[in-house]
Amino acid sequence: MKTIAVIGGGITGVTTAYALAKRGLDVTLYERHRYPAMETSFANGGQLSASNAEAWNHWSTVLKGLKWMWRHDAPLLVRPAASWHQLSWFAEFLGAMPRYRDNTIATARMAVAARQHLYAWAAEENIEFDLKRKGILHIYHDKAGFDHAAQVTRLLAQGGLERRAVTPSEMRAIEPTLAGDYYGGFYTDSDASGDIHKFTVGMAAAIERLGVRCVYGSDIGRLSADGRGVLVGARGGATYDGVVVCAGNGSRRFGAMLGDHVNVYPVKGYSITVNLTTPESQLGAPQVSLLDDATKLVASRLGQDRLRIAGTAEFNGMNRDIRADRIRPLVDWVERCFPDVNTRSVVPWAGLRPTMPDMMPKVGRGRAPGVFYNTGHGHLGWTLAAVTADAVAEAVLRDSRR
């Protein structure tokens, strides 16, 4: 039986280990934290959102970044750094702009396919993760935003996703708790939301039942491949027939060790979890997941007593600091859009989304024999993980039969 090491215990690593184990491979998973899902997979926005598949490689994104550069509470904030990594990433981002249309369609297609894998795995392993299959409502404050969304909707349709325009009155019928004035919205009833941390922890338990060895607390210092196997330098080192790098922002470093250019950049996002401690808050919080395009914020109801608000994009290197001036706009948004929700109990969080310059995850072979990647999913790791895990596991299986 072929032996495979998986590097990383977040959503992509755990689902990859699961897909490999289900194919009968001998799998060992390495995670530097004591537990799975402790970084980017800990407290994201919760959306399983094929409707958010639009690539960022568009001139409107560039203009917003320049416009908001000195605004500390901006939805998109670039903190210029004299680093080759940041400069090279932005250069590749601009170079990928001609592929904006094709990449948006391809991402939508992957996101639609990912749902069936994720739902099937959760059902098979009996994982409870606050899943709500009530769709996602995108809300727009002006005609310009709504018109751009209409163009995106046509691209998503080519990727197999249906969503429909809705009027302000239809928006309130879909989510009666939503307050404020809006130009219109788009509703994707096939989208869903759920708790990524609960799902990943549940899958981590499932892979152990399948025989995967999970080595937690292992900060791997080196990886090397010599054509005969892959050496994982953790706890004295061990050699495997192959490796799948699912290490999030660490994938760039591991890729360099293995001779591959994996230019992931840590795009920082913030979230708050509002504890719905009163009956009024529970009644006043939304049941349908939302995305406010102007503020780049999403909202997801997690069970009876939690509301997750997340979003923004900050280019600030590996900085994990939770800044009050970045959290305040999230709280303000809740109080403005859902005035009956009590914001006395709010838990802030910040995570670093591992993002490739073209907004497409790196999935598949590396240069060296036995080396594979499943990383760089950006803001869609939760949405895409199941389908990319299945794809890379199938590629590893084919390789192991040679």
Side-chain angles (χ1 to χ4, degrees), residues 3 137 155 169 226 284 304:
T3 58
L137 175 63
L155 296 180
S169 61
D226 61 6
Q304 179 68 15

Side-chain angles (χ1 to χ4, degrees), residues 32-47:
R32 70 188 187 95
H33 291 284
R34 289 180 67 188
Y35 314 102
M38 294 304 293
E39 290 199 13
T40 313
S41 302
F42 186 75
N44 77 349
Q47 291 191 336

Side-chain angles (χ1 to χ4, degrees), residues 11 44-52 111-112 114-115 118-119 129-133 135-136 161 188 190-196 199 289 300 379-386:
I11 183 66
N44 77 349
Q47 291 191 336
L48 293 160
S49 53
S51 59
N52 199 21
V112 170
R115 295 171 178 157
L118 187 143
Y119 295 154
F129 61 104
D130 294 325
L131 175 65
K132 282 189 179 294
R133 299 178 67 170
I136 293 178
L161 181 74
T188 312
S190 60
D191 273 345
S193 61
D195 188 324
I196 186 175
F199 178 83
S289 190
S300 296
H379 66 295
L380 292 175
W382 180 211
T383 297
L384 300 178

Side-chain angles (χ1 to χ4, degrees), residues 13-300:
V14 170
T15 52
T16 296
Y18 182 82
L20 289 166
K22 293 290 279 186
R23 285 167 169 80
L25 295 165
D26 184 345
V27 183
T28 301
L29 179 140
Y30 291 89
E31 165 55 44
R32 70 188 187 95
H33 291 284
R34 289 180 67 188
Y35 314 102
M38 294 304 293
E39 290 199 13
T40 313
S41 302
F42 186 75
N44 77 349
Q47 291 191 336
L48 293 160
S49 53
S51 59
N52 199 21
E54 181 189 9
W56 294 1
N57 309 84
H58 193 275
W59 277 114
S60 62
T61 307
V62 176
L63 294 174
K64 287 175 183 176
L66 294 172
K67 175 183 175 182
W68 292 334
M69 189 171 290
W70 309 115
R71 204 181 107 188
H72 293 304
D73 62 349
L76 171 62
L77 179 61
V78 178
R79 298 188 185 275
S83 73
W84 172 248
H85 185 195
Q86 190 182 79
L87 291 172
S88 70
W89 193 93
F90 280 123
E92 290 184 38
F93 177 92
L94 295 174
M97 289 177 71
R99 302 194 298 279
Y100 158 82
R101 178 181 178 279
D102 291 343
N103 287 350
T104 296
I105 294 170
T107 303
R109 188 173 292 119
M110 284 193 292
V112 170
R115 295 171 178 157
Q116 302 313 313
H117 292 293
L118 187 143
Y119 295 154
W121 294 349
E124 183 173 352
E125 303 301 336
N126 196 29
I127 299 173
E128 163 54 40
F129 61 104
D130 294 325
L131 175 65
K132 282 189 179 294
R133 299 178 67 170
K134 292 179 175 289
I136 293 178
L137 175 63
H138 288 228
I139 60 178
Y140 298 91
H141 300 263
D142 55 41
K143 185 177 186 298
F146 183 85
D147 288 347
H148 178 76
Q151 297 174 17
V152 173
T153 297
R154 288 191 283 272
L155 296 180
L156 298 178
Q158 293 183 55
L161 181 74
E162 293 185 6
R163 73 172 184 176
R164 59 185 173 90
V166 290
T167 65
S169 61
E170 290 172 322
M171 290 166 58
R172 291 189 175 85
I174 292 168
E175 182 44 69
T177 65
L178 178 64
D181 296 322
Y182 303 94
Y183 182 86
F186 282 86
Y187 180 56
T188 312
D189 59 6
S190 60
D191 273 345
S193 61
D195 188 324
I196 186 175
H197 185 74
K198 283 187 175 182
F199 178 83
T200 308
V201 169
M203 288 293 287
I207 63 175
E208 291 198 70
R209 291 195 298 269
L210 289 172
V212 175
R213 289 176 296 282
C214 294
V215 186
Y216 295 112
S218 293
D219 199 356
I220 296 170
R222 65 191 179 104
L223 286 177
S224 60
D226 61 6
R228 294 169 296 179
V230 177
L231 175 65
V232 177
R235 295 187 181 178
T239 301
Y240 298 87
D241 295 313
V243 65
V244 186
V245 177
C246 309
N249 293 297
S251 301
R252 180 171 179 264
R253 177 171 64 93
F254 290 129
M257 296 177 186
L258 296 166
D260 293 306
H261 178 61
V262 186
N263 199 15
V264 293
Y265 190 88
V267 180
K268 188 176 182 181
Y270 292 84
S271 80
I272 58 173
T273 302
V274 183
N275 293 312
L276 306 174
T277 57
T278 66
E280 293 78 14
S281 290
Q282 293 174 6
L283 290 172
Q287 294 288 342
V288 173
S289 190
L290 301 107
L291 187 150
D292 186 336
D293 195 68
T295 60
K296 305 301 181 188
L297 295 181
V298 307
S300 296

